[in-house]
Amino acid sequence: MSRRTDHTDTTSLENFLRPIVEQFGCDLEAADIAPAGRRRLLRVLVDRDGGISLDDVAEVTRAISKALDADDIMGDGAYTLEVSSPGVDRPLTLPRHWRRNVSRLVAVTLTAGGKVTGRIKSASEEAAELDVDGKPQTVAYADVAKAKVQIEFNRAAGNDEGPAADGTVEEN
């Protein structure tokens, strides 16, 4: 039993959602539909420079819900809408992902082989400047096979200067 409502085209859905999300100064990072029992789960990831708050996500969710209710892009089948921001473990695949993570530690696997771990100092449309053990290193995005932000438990919230020199963790 195959119906249109079970096979909404992801590209069409993203094209439908992108202008709605952009009204809020956000970028549509991904839209995905997955079966969830008798329903479908529509997951929408949004982000923007400077980060996105829960209030922002709520506003975007209301706008997406209203637009979906007024259109038949999801068809007649029941679905659940979930809007969120990407997690810290999202791979850095676009220049804006690098820009949004300036000052964070990143592990990079290069297409030519080898790995580099450094703190992002700046990011352009073509490359990122990393601080690798105190030395600047430019990494062109075209040379990156995979890049992920590293979680730093000893880095104080809001501290963009890096971890404590001795690596200690203070507990309050």
Side-chain angles (χ1 to χ4, degrees), residues 13-14 17-18 21-22 26-33 42-48 52 57 60-61 64 81-91 94 96-97 100:
L13 185 60
E14 286 179 354
L17 295 172
R18 189 167 287 108
V21 170
E22 288 174 351
C26 298
D27 294 308
L28 176 66
E29 294 294 340
D32 180 54
I33 302 170
L42 169 56
R43 283 193 181 108
V44 180
L45 295 180
V46 296
D47 202 2
R48 73 167 152 219
I52 189 163
V57 170
V60 171
T61 302
I64 290 173
L81 172 63
E82 176 184 294
V83 179
S84 62
S85 63
V88 71
D89 61 342
R90 171 203 37 205
L94 297 171
R96 70 176 180 244
H97 300 158
R100 289 175 181 157

PDB file of all heavy atoms in Angstrom, residues 13-14 17-18 21-22 26-33 42-48 52 57 60-61 64 81-91 94 96-97 100:
ATOM      1  N   LEU A  13      10.518  19.243   0.176  1.00  0.00           N
ATOM      2  CA  LEU A  13      10.211  19.663   1.537  1.00  0.00           C
ATOM      3  C   LEU A  13      11.202  20.734   1.997  1.00  0.00           C
ATOM      4  O   LEU A  13      10.810  21.751   2.569  1.00  0.00           O
ATOM      5  CB  LEU A  13      10.230  18.461   2.478  1.00  0.00           C
ATOM      6  CG  LEU A  13       9.808  18.720   3.912  1.00  0.00           C
ATOM      7  CD1 LEU A  13       8.381  19.250   3.972  1.00  0.00           C
ATOM      8  CD2 LEU A  13       9.920  17.438   4.722  1.00  0.00           C
ATOM      9  N   GLU A  14      12.492  20.513   1.736  1.00  0.00           N
ATOM     10  CA  GLU A  14      13.498  21.510   2.113  1.00  0.00           C
ATOM     11  C   GLU A  14      13.269  22.829   1.383  1.00  0.00           C
ATOM     12  O   GLU A  14      13.392  23.900   1.973  1.00  0.00           O
ATOM     13  CB  GLU A  14      14.916  20.980   1.842  1.00  0.00           C
ATOM     14  CG  GLU A  14      15.345  19.930   2.845  1.00  0.00           C
ATOM     15  CD  GLU A  14      16.732  19.363   2.579  1.00  0.00           C
ATOM     16  OE1 GLU A  14      17.348  19.699   1.535  1.00  0.00           O
ATOM     17  OE2 GLU A  14      17.203  18.588   3.423  1.00  0.00           O
ATOM     18  N   LEU A  17      10.407  24.519   3.133  1.00  0.00           N
ATOM     19  CA  LEU A  17      10.704  25.000   4.486  1.00  0.00           C
ATOM     20  C   LEU A  17      11.735  26.127   4.536  1.00  0.00           C
ATOM     21  O   LEU A  17      11.669  26.991   5.411  1.00  0.00           O
ATOM     22  CB  LEU A  17      11.206  23.836   5.348  1.00  0.00           C
ATOM     23  CG  LEU A  17      10.211  22.713   5.627  1.00  0.00           C
ATOM     24  CD1 LEU A  17      10.909  21.553   6.319  1.00  0.00           C
ATOM     25  CD2 LEU A  17       9.046  23.223   6.444  1.00  0.00           C
ATOM     26  N   ARG A  18      12.691  26.132   3.604  1.00  0.00           N
ATOM     27  CA  ARG A  18      13.807  27.091   3.655  1.00  0.00           C
ATOM     28  C   ARG A  18      13.347  28.545   3.794  1.00  0.00           C
ATOM     29  O   ARG A  18      13.815  29.258   4.689  1.00  0.00           O
ATOM     30  CB  ARG A  18      14.718  26.903   2.441  1.00  0.00           C
ATOM     31  CG  ARG A  18      16.006  27.706   2.535  1.00  0.00           C
ATOM     32  CD  ARG A  18      17.032  27.289   1.496  1.00  0.00           C
ATOM     33  NE  ARG A  18      17.610  25.986   1.864  1.00  0.00           N
ATOM     34  CZ  ARG A  18      17.360  24.845   1.233  1.00  0.00           C
ATOM     35  NH1 ARG A  18      16.572  24.805   0.186  1.00  0.00           N
ATOM     36  NH2 ARG A  18      17.919  23.727   1.638  1.00  0.00           N
ATOM     37  N   VAL A  21      11.996  29.273   7.357  1.00  0.00           N
ATOM     38  CA  VAL A  21      13.061  29.318   8.350  1.00  0.00           C
ATOM     39  C   VAL A  21      13.879  30.601   8.201  1.00  0.00           C
ATOM     40  O   VAL A  21      14.252  31.237   9.191  1.00  0.00           O
ATOM     41  CB  VAL A  21      13.948  28.049   8.217  1.00  0.00           C
ATOM     42  CG1 VAL A  21      15.192  28.151   9.048  1.00  0.00           C
ATOM     43  CG2 VAL A  21      13.142  26.808   8.591  1.00  0.00           C
ATOM     44  N   GLU A  22      14.140  31.003   6.962  1.00  0.00           N
ATOM     45  CA  GLU A  22      14.957  32.188   6.706  1.00  0.00           C
ATOM     46  C   GLU A  22      14.282  33.477   7.176  1.00  0.00           C
ATOM     47  O   GLU A  22      14.965  34.459   7.459  1.00  0.00           O
ATOM     48  CB  GLU A  22      15.331  32.271   5.225  1.00  0.00           C
ATOM     49  CG  GLU A  22      16.363  31.215   4.846  1.00  0.00           C
ATOM     50  CD  GLU A  22      16.674  31.150   3.356  1.00  0.00           C
ATOM     51  OE1 GLU A  22      15.967  31.808   2.550  1.00  0.00           O
ATOM     52  OE2 GLU A  22      17.631  30.431   2.997  1.00  0.00           O
ATOM     53  N   CYS A  26      17.369  32.340  10.229  1.00  0.00           N
ATOM     54  CA  CYS A  26      17.972  31.029  10.484  1.00  0.00           C
ATOM     55  C   CYS A  26      18.293  30.327   9.170  1.00  0.00           C
ATOM     56  O   CYS A  26      17.770  30.683   8.122  1.00  0.00           O
ATOM     57  CB  CYS A  26      17.012  30.147  11.283  1.00  0.00           C
ATOM     58  SG  CYS A  26      16.612  30.796  12.909  1.00  0.00           S
ATOM     59  N   ASP A  27      19.143  29.319   9.270  1.00  0.00           N
ATOM     60  CA  ASP A  27      19.458  28.449   8.138  1.00  0.00           C
ATOM     61  C   ASP A  27      18.790  27.108   8.365  1.00  0.00           C
ATOM     62  O   ASP A  27      18.797  26.591   9.479  1.00  0.00           O
ATOM     63  CB  ASP A  27      20.972  28.222   8.037  1.00  0.00           C
ATOM     64  CG  ASP A  27      21.729  29.489   7.704  1.00  0.00           C
ATOM     65  OD1 ASP A  27      21.367  30.156   6.715  1.00  0.00           O
ATOM     66  OD2 ASP A  27      22.683  29.810   8.438  1.00  0.00           O
ATOM     67  N   LEU A  28      18.230  26.554   7.298  1.00  0.00           N
ATOM     68  CA  LEU A  28      17.701  25.196   7.351  1.00  0.00           C
ATOM     69  C   LEU A  28      18.889  24.262   7.164  1.00  0.00           C
ATOM     70  O   LEU A  28      19.511  24.251   6.105  1.00  0.00           O
ATOM     71  CB  LEU A  28      16.667  24.965   6.242  1.00  0.00           C
ATOM     72  CG  LEU A  28      16.113  23.552   6.125  1.00  0.00           C
ATOM     73  CD1 LEU A  28      15.305  23.196   7.365  1.00  0.00           C
ATOM     74  CD2 LEU A  28      15.257  23.417   4.880  1.00  0.00           C
ATOM     75  N   GLU A  29      19.245  23.530   8.197  1.00  0.00           N
ATOM     76  CA  GLU A  29      20.383  22.620   8.133  1.00  0.00           C
ATOM     77  C   GLU A  29      19.987  21.264   7.559  1.00  0.00           C
ATOM     78  O   GLU A  29      20.772  20.649   6.852  1.00  0.00           O
ATOM     79  CB  GLU A  29      21.012  22.443   9.520  1.00  0.00           C
ATOM     80  CG  GLU A  29      21.641  23.703  10.073  1.00  0.00           C
ATOM     81  CD  GLU A  29      22.851  24.186   9.286  1.00  0.00           C
ATOM     82  OE1 GLU A  29      23.458  23.391   8.537  1.00  0.00           O
ATOM     83  OE2 GLU A  29      23.191  25.369   9.416  1.00  0.00           O
ATOM     84  N   ALA A  30      18.787  20.803   7.870  1.00  0.00           N
ATOM     85  CA  ALA A  30      18.328  19.518   7.348  1.00  0.00           C
ATOM     86  C   ALA A  30      16.844  19.350   7.617  1.00  0.00           C
ATOM     87  O   ALA A  30      16.300  19.932   8.552  1.00  0.00           O
ATOM     88  CB  ALA A  30      19.094  18.369   8.007  1.00  0.00           C
ATOM     89  N   ALA A  31      16.212  18.553   6.767  1.00  0.00           N
ATOM     90  CA  ALA A  31      14.825  18.132   6.982  1.00  0.00           C
ATOM     91  C   ALA A  31      14.771  16.657   6.602  1.00  0.00           C
ATOM     92  O   ALA A  31      15.283  16.264   5.555  1.00  0.00           O
ATOM     93  CB  ALA A  31      13.858  18.943   6.131  1.00  0.00           C
ATOM     94  N   ASP A  32      14.184  15.864   7.476  1.00  0.00           N
ATOM     95  CA  ASP A  32      14.182  14.424   7.263  1.00  0.00           C
ATOM     96  C   ASP A  32      12.837  13.858   7.705  1.00  0.00           C
ATOM     97  O   ASP A  32      12.279  14.292   8.714  1.00  0.00           O
ATOM     98  CB  ASP A  32      15.317  13.791   8.080  1.00  0.00           C
ATOM     99  CG  ASP A  32      15.378  12.293   7.900  1.00  0.00           C
ATOM    100  OD1 ASP A  32      15.454  11.836   6.738  1.00  0.00           O
ATOM    101  OD2 ASP A  32      15.329  11.568   8.914  1.00  0.00           O
ATOM    102  N   ILE A  33      12.338  12.902   6.953  1.00  0.00           N
ATOM    103  CA  ILE A  33      11.085  12.229   7.310  1.00  0.00           C
ATOM    104  C   ILE A  33      11.399  10.766   7.571  1.00  0.00           C
ATOM    105  O   ILE A  33      12.052  10.113   6.761  1.00  0.00           O
ATOM    106  CB  ILE A  33      10.051  12.328   6.176  1.00  0.00           C
ATOM    107  CG1 ILE A  33       9.766  13.786   5.834  1.00  0.00           C
ATOM    108  CG2 ILE A  33       8.762  11.615   6.571  1.00  0.00           C
ATOM    109  CD1 ILE A  33       8.959  13.967   4.576  1.00  0.00           C
ATOM    110  N   LEU A  42       8.715  14.176  11.161  1.00  0.00           N
ATOM    111  CA  LEU A  42       9.384  15.186  10.346  1.00  0.00           C
ATOM    112  C   LEU A  42      10.347  15.929  11.254  1.00  0.00           C
ATOM    113  O   LEU A  42       9.919  16.644  12.163  1.00  0.00           O
ATOM    114  CB  LEU A  42       8.363  16.158   9.733  1.00  0.00           C
ATOM    115  CG  LEU A  42       8.933  17.412   9.064  1.00  0.00           C
ATOM    116  CD1 LEU A  42       9.929  17.061   7.975  1.00  0.00           C
ATOM    117  CD2 LEU A  42       7.800  18.265   8.517  1.00  0.00           C
ATOM    118  N   ARG A  43      11.646  15.692  11.052  1.00  0.00           N
ATOM    119  CA  ARG A  43      12.684  16.357  11.841  1.00  0.00           C
ATOM    120  C   ARG A  43      13.263  17.501  11.021  1.00  0.00           C
ATOM    121  O   ARG A  43      13.700  17.302   9.889  1.00  0.00           O
ATOM    122  CB  ARG A  43      13.818  15.398  12.178  1.00  0.00           C
ATOM    123  CG  ARG A  43      13.499  14.451  13.271  1.00  0.00           C
ATOM    124  CD  ARG A  43      14.792  13.755  13.741  1.00  0.00           C
ATOM    125  NE  ARG A  43      14.482  12.828  14.785  1.00  0.00           N
ATOM    126  CZ  ARG A  43      14.494  11.506  14.652  1.00  0.00           C
ATOM    127  NH1 ARG A  43      14.841  10.971  13.510  1.00  0.00           N
ATOM    128  NH2 ARG A  43      14.187  10.745  15.664  1.00  0.00           N
ATOM    129  N   VAL A  44      13.286  18.686  11.619  1.00  0.00           N
ATOM    130  CA  VAL A  44      13.819  19.870  10.964  1.00  0.00           C
ATOM    131  C   VAL A  44      14.917  20.448  11.860  1.00  0.00           C
ATOM    132  O   VAL A  44      14.676  20.699  13.044  1.00  0.00           O
ATOM    133  CB  VAL A  44      12.709  20.924  10.736  1.00  0.00           C
ATOM    134  CG1 VAL A  44      13.271  22.159  10.057  1.00  0.00           C
ATOM    135  CG2 VAL A  44      11.566  20.326   9.918  1.00  0.00           C
ATOM    136  N   LEU A  45      16.116  20.615  11.306  1.00  0.00           N
ATOM    137  CA  LEU A  45      17.229  21.204  12.051  1.00  0.00           C
ATOM    138  C   LEU A  45      17.476  22.617  11.552  1.00  0.00           C
ATOM    139  O   LEU A  45      17.622  22.827  10.341  1.00  0.00           O
ATOM    140  CB  LEU A  45      18.501  20.378  11.873  1.00  0.00           C
ATOM    141  CG  LEU A  45      18.497  18.966  12.441  1.00  0.00           C
ATOM    142  CD1 LEU A  45      19.831  18.283  12.183  1.00  0.00           C
ATOM    143  CD2 LEU A  45      18.189  18.982  13.925  1.00  0.00           C
ATOM    144  N   VAL A  46      17.504  23.566  12.475  1.00  0.00           N
ATOM    145  CA  VAL A  46      17.744  24.964  12.134  1.00  0.00           C
ATOM    146  C   VAL A  46      18.859  25.511  13.012  1.00  0.00           C
ATOM    147  O   VAL A  46      19.061  25.058  14.135  1.00  0.00           O
ATOM    148  CB  VAL A  46      16.466  25.828  12.295  1.00  0.00           C
ATOM    149  CG1 VAL A  46      15.386  25.379  11.325  1.00  0.00           C
ATOM    150  CG2 VAL A  46      15.935  25.786  13.717  1.00  0.00           C
ATOM    151  N   ASP A  47      19.580  26.496  12.491  1.00  0.00           N
ATOM    152  CA  ASP A  47      20.663  27.109  13.244  1.00  0.00           C
ATOM    153  C   ASP A  47      20.889  28.503  12.686  1.00  0.00           C
ATOM    154  O   ASP A  47      20.350  28.850  11.630  1.00  0.00           O
ATOM    155  CB  ASP A  47      21.934  26.263  13.129  1.00  0.00           C
ATOM    156  CG  ASP A  47      22.926  26.510  14.253  1.00  0.00           C
ATOM    157  OD1 ASP A  47      22.618  27.317  15.173  1.00  0.00           O
ATOM    158  OD2 ASP A  47      24.007  25.916  14.224  1.00  0.00           O
ATOM    159  N   ARG A  48      21.684  29.292  13.384  1.00  0.00           N
ATOM    160  CA  ARG A  48      22.073  30.605  12.881  1.00  0.00           C
ATOM    161  C   ARG A  48      23.321  31.075  13.603  1.00  0.00           C
ATOM    162  O   ARG A  48      23.684  30.543  14.651  1.00  0.00           O
ATOM    163  CB  ARG A  48      20.948  31.616  13.018  1.00  0.00           C
ATOM    164  CG  ARG A  48      20.688  32.085  14.422  1.00  0.00           C
ATOM    165  CD  ARG A  48      19.790  33.314  14.406  1.00  0.00           C
ATOM    166  NE  ARG A  48      19.045  33.354  15.635  1.00  0.00           N
ATOM    167  CZ  ARG A  48      17.792  33.723  15.725  1.00  0.00           C
ATOM    168  NH1 ARG A  48      17.129  34.077  14.668  1.00  0.00           N
ATOM    169  NH2 ARG A  48      17.195  33.737  16.882  1.00  0.00           N
ATOM    170  N   ILE A  52      21.020  29.549  18.521  1.00  0.00           N
ATOM    171  CA  ILE A  52      19.558  29.654  18.474  1.00  0.00           C
ATOM    172  C   ILE A  52      19.003  29.266  19.837  1.00  0.00           C
ATOM    173  O   ILE A  52      19.439  28.279  20.435  1.00  0.00           O
ATOM    174  CB  ILE A  52      18.993  28.791  17.322  1.00  0.00           C
ATOM    175  CG1 ILE A  52      17.522  29.057  17.109  1.00  0.00           C
ATOM    176  CG2 ILE A  52      19.298  27.330  17.515  1.00  0.00           C
ATOM    177  CD1 ILE A  52      17.007  28.570  15.774  1.00  0.00           C
ATOM    178  N   VAL A  57      13.455  28.552  18.508  1.00  0.00           N
ATOM    179  CA  VAL A  57      12.983  27.267  17.983  1.00  0.00           C
ATOM    180  C   VAL A  57      11.458  27.200  18.059  1.00  0.00           C
ATOM    181  O   VAL A  57      10.802  26.735  17.122  1.00  0.00           O
ATOM    182  CB  VAL A  57      13.632  26.079  18.736  1.00  0.00           C
ATOM    183  CG1 VAL A  57      12.965  24.765  18.364  1.00  0.00           C
ATOM    184  CG2 VAL A  57      15.124  26.011  18.444  1.00  0.00           C
ATOM    185  N   VAL A  60       9.983  29.353  15.210  1.00  0.00           N
ATOM    186  CA  VAL A  60      10.154  28.681  13.924  1.00  0.00           C
ATOM    187  C   VAL A  60       9.192  27.497  13.830  1.00  0.00           C
ATOM    188  O   VAL A  60       8.571  27.267  12.787  1.00  0.00           O
ATOM    189  CB  VAL A  60      11.620  28.231  13.732  1.00  0.00           C
ATOM    190  CG1 VAL A  60      11.764  27.351  12.506  1.00  0.00           C
ATOM    191  CG2 VAL A  60      12.547  29.441  13.630  1.00  0.00           C
ATOM    192  N   THR A  61       9.042  26.747  14.916  1.00  0.00           N
ATOM    193  CA  THR A  61       8.131  25.597  14.934  1.00  0.00           C
ATOM    194  C   THR A  61       6.695  26.023  14.630  1.00  0.00           C
ATOM    195  O   THR A  61       6.010  25.398  13.813  1.00  0.00           O
ATOM    196  CB  THR A  61       8.183  24.876  16.301  1.00  0.00           C
ATOM    197  OG1 THR A  61       9.522  24.452  16.549  1.00  0.00           O
ATOM    198  CG2 THR A  61       7.248  23.673  16.331  1.00  0.00           C
ATOM    199  N   ILE A  64       6.440  26.929  10.892  1.00  0.00           N
ATOM    200  CA  ILE A  64       6.472  25.735  10.045  1.00  0.00           C
ATOM    201  C   ILE A  64       5.159  24.983  10.152  1.00  0.00           C
ATOM    202  O   ILE A  64       4.578  24.555   9.148  1.00  0.00           O
ATOM    203  CB  ILE A  64       7.666  24.824  10.418  1.00  0.00           C
ATOM    204  CG1 ILE A  64       8.978  25.477  10.003  1.00  0.00           C
ATOM    205  CG2 ILE A  64       7.507  23.446   9.788  1.00  0.00           C
ATOM    206  CD1 ILE A  64      10.214  24.732  10.481  1.00  0.00           C
ATOM    207  N   LEU A  81       5.854  16.805  14.061  1.00  0.00           N
ATOM    208  CA  LEU A  81       6.871  17.776  13.698  1.00  0.00           C
ATOM    209  C   LEU A  81       7.830  17.966  14.864  1.00  0.00           C
ATOM    210  O   LEU A  81       7.395  18.193  15.995  1.00  0.00           O
ATOM    211  CB  LEU A  81       6.226  19.126  13.341  1.00  0.00           C
ATOM    212  CG  LEU A  81       7.159  20.311  13.114  1.00  0.00           C
ATOM    213  CD1 LEU A  81       8.065  20.053  11.912  1.00  0.00           C
ATOM    214  CD2 LEU A  81       6.332  21.579  12.899  1.00  0.00           C
ATOM    215  N   GLU A  82       9.129  17.867  14.586  1.00  0.00           N
ATOM    216  CA  GLU A  82      10.164  18.080  15.596  1.00  0.00           C
ATOM    217  C   GLU A  82      11.171  19.074  15.019  1.00  0.00           C
ATOM    218  O   GLU A  82      11.794  18.801  14.001  1.00  0.00           O
ATOM    219  CB  GLU A  82      10.846  16.756  15.912  1.00  0.00           C
ATOM    220  CG  GLU A  82      12.003  16.852  16.880  1.00  0.00           C
ATOM    221  CD  GLU A  82      12.690  15.511  17.069  1.00  0.00           C
ATOM    222  OE1 GLU A  82      12.053  14.586  17.613  1.00  0.00           O
ATOM    223  OE2 GLU A  82      13.855  15.392  16.647  1.00  0.00           O
ATOM    224  N   VAL A  83      11.294  20.234  15.655  1.00  0.00           N
ATOM    225  CA  VAL A  83      12.248  21.254  15.217  1.00  0.00           C
ATOM    226  C   VAL A  83      13.291  21.414  16.313  1.00  0.00           C
ATOM    227  O   VAL A  83      12.941  21.554  17.485  1.00  0.00           O
ATOM    228  CB  VAL A  83      11.544  22.604  14.939  1.00  0.00           C
ATOM    229  CG1 VAL A  83      12.561  23.660  14.508  1.00  0.00           C
ATOM    230  CG2 VAL A  83      10.456  22.441  13.880  1.00  0.00           C
ATOM    231  N   SER A  84      14.564  21.379  15.925  1.00  0.00           N
ATOM    232  CA  SER A  84      15.637  21.540  16.902  1.00  0.00           C
ATOM    233  C   SER A  84      16.864  22.115  16.221  1.00  0.00           C
ATOM    234  O   SER A  84      16.877  22.334  15.015  1.00  0.00           O
ATOM    235  CB  SER A  84      15.963  20.197  17.559  1.00  0.00           C
ATOM    236  OG  SER A  84      16.429  19.274  16.609  1.00  0.00           O
ATOM    237  N   SER A  85      17.899  22.343  17.026  1.00  0.00           N
ATOM    238  CA  SER A  85      19.165  22.798  16.469  1.00  0.00           C
ATOM    239  C   SER A  85      20.113  21.604  16.430  1.00  0.00           C
ATOM    240  O   SER A  85      19.953  20.666  17.203  1.00  0.00           O
ATOM    241  CB  SER A  85      19.748  23.930  17.313  1.00  0.00           C
ATOM    242  OG  SER A  85      20.024  23.466  18.605  1.00  0.00           O
ATOM    243  N   PRO A  86      21.101  21.648  15.543  1.00  0.00           N
ATOM    244  CA  PRO A  86      22.039  20.532  15.466  1.00  0.00           C
ATOM    245  C   PRO A  86      22.839  20.416  16.759  1.00  0.00           C
ATOM    246  O   PRO A  86      23.117  21.414  17.421  1.00  0.00           O
ATOM    247  CB  PRO A  86      22.969  20.910  14.310  1.00  0.00           C
ATOM    248  CG  PRO A  86      22.281  21.998  13.577  1.00  0.00           C
ATOM    249  CD  PRO A  86      21.380  22.673  14.551  1.00  0.00           C
ATOM    250  N   GLY A  87      23.225  19.232  17.103  1.00  0.00           N
ATOM    251  CA  GLY A  87      24.028  19.018  18.298  1.00  0.00           C
ATOM    252  C   GLY A  87      25.486  19.351  18.057  1.00  0.00           C
ATOM    253  O   GLY A  87      25.917  19.559  16.922  1.00  0.00           O
ATOM    254  N   VAL A  88      26.253  19.384  19.113  1.00  0.00           N
ATOM    255  CA  VAL A  88      27.669  19.704  19.025  1.00  0.00           C
ATOM    256  C   VAL A  88      28.422  18.649  18.217  1.00  0.00           C
ATOM    257  O   VAL A  88      29.479  18.916  17.666  1.00  0.00           O
ATOM    258  CB  VAL A  88      28.295  19.882  20.422  1.00  0.00           C
ATOM    259  CG1 VAL A  88      28.395  18.558  21.147  1.00  0.00           C
ATOM    260  CG2 VAL A  88      29.651  20.543  20.328  1.00  0.00           C
ATOM    261  N   ASP A  89      27.861  17.450  18.090  1.00  0.00           N
ATOM    262  CA  ASP A  89      28.543  16.385  17.366  1.00  0.00           C
ATOM    263  C   ASP A  89      28.290  16.407  15.863  1.00  0.00           C
ATOM    264  O   ASP A  89      28.753  15.541  15.146  1.00  0.00           O
ATOM    265  CB  ASP A  89      28.165  15.027  17.948  1.00  0.00           C
ATOM    266  CG  ASP A  89      26.679  14.741  17.844  1.00  0.00           C
ATOM    267  OD1 ASP A  89      25.889  15.683  17.645  1.00  0.00           O
ATOM    268  OD2 ASP A  89      26.309  13.560  17.970  1.00  0.00           O
ATOM    269  N   ARG A  90      27.597  17.443  15.379  1.00  0.00           N
ATOM    270  CA  ARG A  90      27.345  17.551  13.948  1.00  0.00           C
ATOM    271  C   ARG A  90      28.670  17.775  13.217  1.00  0.00           C
ATOM    272  O   ARG A  90      29.473  18.615  13.618  1.00  0.00           O
ATOM    273  CB  ARG A  90      26.420  18.733  13.660  1.00  0.00           C
ATOM    274  CG  ARG A  90      26.323  18.988  12.176  1.00  0.00           C
ATOM    275  CD  ARG A  90      25.935  20.330  11.689  1.00  0.00           C
ATOM    276  NE  ARG A  90      26.432  21.449  12.434  1.00  0.00           N
ATOM    277  CZ  ARG A  90      25.812  22.607  12.436  1.00  0.00           C
ATOM    278  NH1 ARG A  90      24.697  22.780  11.789  1.00  0.00           N
ATOM    279  NH2 ARG A  90      26.325  23.618  13.107  1.00  0.00           N
ATOM    280  N   PRO A  91      28.924  17.059  12.139  1.00  0.00           N
ATOM    281  CA  PRO A  91      30.150  17.299  11.366  1.00  0.00           C
ATOM    282  C   PRO A  91      30.152  18.712  10.779  1.00  0.00           C
ATOM    283  O   PRO A  91      29.102  19.249  10.427  1.00  0.00           O
ATOM    284  CB  PRO A  91      30.088  16.260  10.246  1.00  0.00           C
ATOM    285  CG  PRO A  91      29.054  15.281  10.650  1.00  0.00           C
ATOM    286  CD  PRO A  91      28.127  15.976  11.592  1.00  0.00           C
ATOM    287  N   LEU A  94      30.051  22.781   6.097  1.00  0.00           N
ATOM    288  CA  LEU A  94      29.893  24.026   5.343  1.00  0.00           C
ATOM    289  C   LEU A  94      30.689  25.140   6.005  1.00  0.00           C
ATOM    290  O   LEU A  94      30.898  25.107   7.226  1.00  0.00           O
ATOM    291  CB  LEU A  94      28.411  24.426   5.302  1.00  0.00           C
ATOM    292  CG  LEU A  94      27.448  23.468   4.602  1.00  0.00           C
ATOM    293  CD1 LEU A  94      26.010  23.882   4.835  1.00  0.00           C
ATOM    294  CD2 LEU A  94      27.753  23.416   3.113  1.00  0.00           C
ATOM    295  N   ARG A  96      29.796  27.971   7.012  1.00  0.00           N
ATOM    296  CA  ARG A  96      29.078  28.569   8.143  1.00  0.00           C
ATOM    297  C   ARG A  96      29.207  27.727   9.408  1.00  0.00           C
ATOM    298  O   ARG A  96      29.190  28.244  10.508  1.00  0.00           O
ATOM    299  CB  ARG A  96      27.621  28.850   7.798  1.00  0.00           C
ATOM    300  CG  ARG A  96      26.755  27.626   7.627  1.00  0.00           C
ATOM    301  CD  ARG A  96      25.291  28.013   7.373  1.00  0.00           C
ATOM    302  NE  ARG A  96      24.462  26.870   7.207  1.00  0.00           N
ATOM    303  CZ  ARG A  96      23.819  26.573   6.094  1.00  0.00           C
ATOM    304  NH1 ARG A  96      23.909  27.351   5.036  1.00  0.00           N
ATOM    305  NH2 ARG A  96      23.063  25.496   6.027  1.00  0.00           N
ATOM    306  N   HIS A  97      29.347  26.407   9.265  1.00  0.00           N
ATOM    307  CA  HIS A  97      29.545  25.546  10.437  1.00  0.00           C
ATOM    308  C   HIS A  97      30.879  25.871  11.094  1.00  0.00           C
ATOM    309  O   HIS A  97      30.969  25.920  12.325  1.00  0.00           O
ATOM    310  CB  HIS A  97      29.522  24.067  10.059  1.00  0.00           C
ATOM    311  CG  HIS A  97      28.234  23.623   9.429  1.00  0.00           C
ATOM    312  ND1 HIS A  97      28.161  22.502   8.640  1.00  0.00           N
ATOM    313  CD2 HIS A  97      26.983  24.146   9.455  1.00  0.00           C
ATOM    314  CE1 HIS A  97      26.927  22.346   8.203  1.00  0.00           C
ATOM    315  NE2 HIS A  97      26.192  23.341   8.691  1.00  0.00           N
ATOM    316  N   ARG A 100      30.662  29.353  12.848  1.00  0.00           N
ATOM    317  CA  ARG A 100      29.880  29.310  14.088  1.00  0.00           C
ATOM    318  C   ARG A 100      30.633  28.640  15.227  1.00  0.00           C
ATOM    319  O   ARG A 100      30.184  28.689  16.374  1.00  0.00           O
ATOM    320  CB  ARG A 100      28.553  28.590  13.840  1.00  0.00           C
ATOM    321  CG  ARG A 100      27.626  29.410  12.992  1.00  0.00           C
ATOM    322  CD  ARG A 100      26.369  28.665  12.648  1.00  0.00           C
ATOM    323  NE  ARG A 100      25.535  29.525  11.813  1.00  0.00           N
ATOM    324  CZ  ARG A 100      24.603  29.083  10.995  1.00  0.00           C
ATOM    325  NH1 ARG A 100      24.359  27.789  10.902  1.00  0.00           N
ATOM    326  NH2 ARG A 100      23.908  29.935  10.269  1.00  0.00           N
TER     327      ARG A 100
END
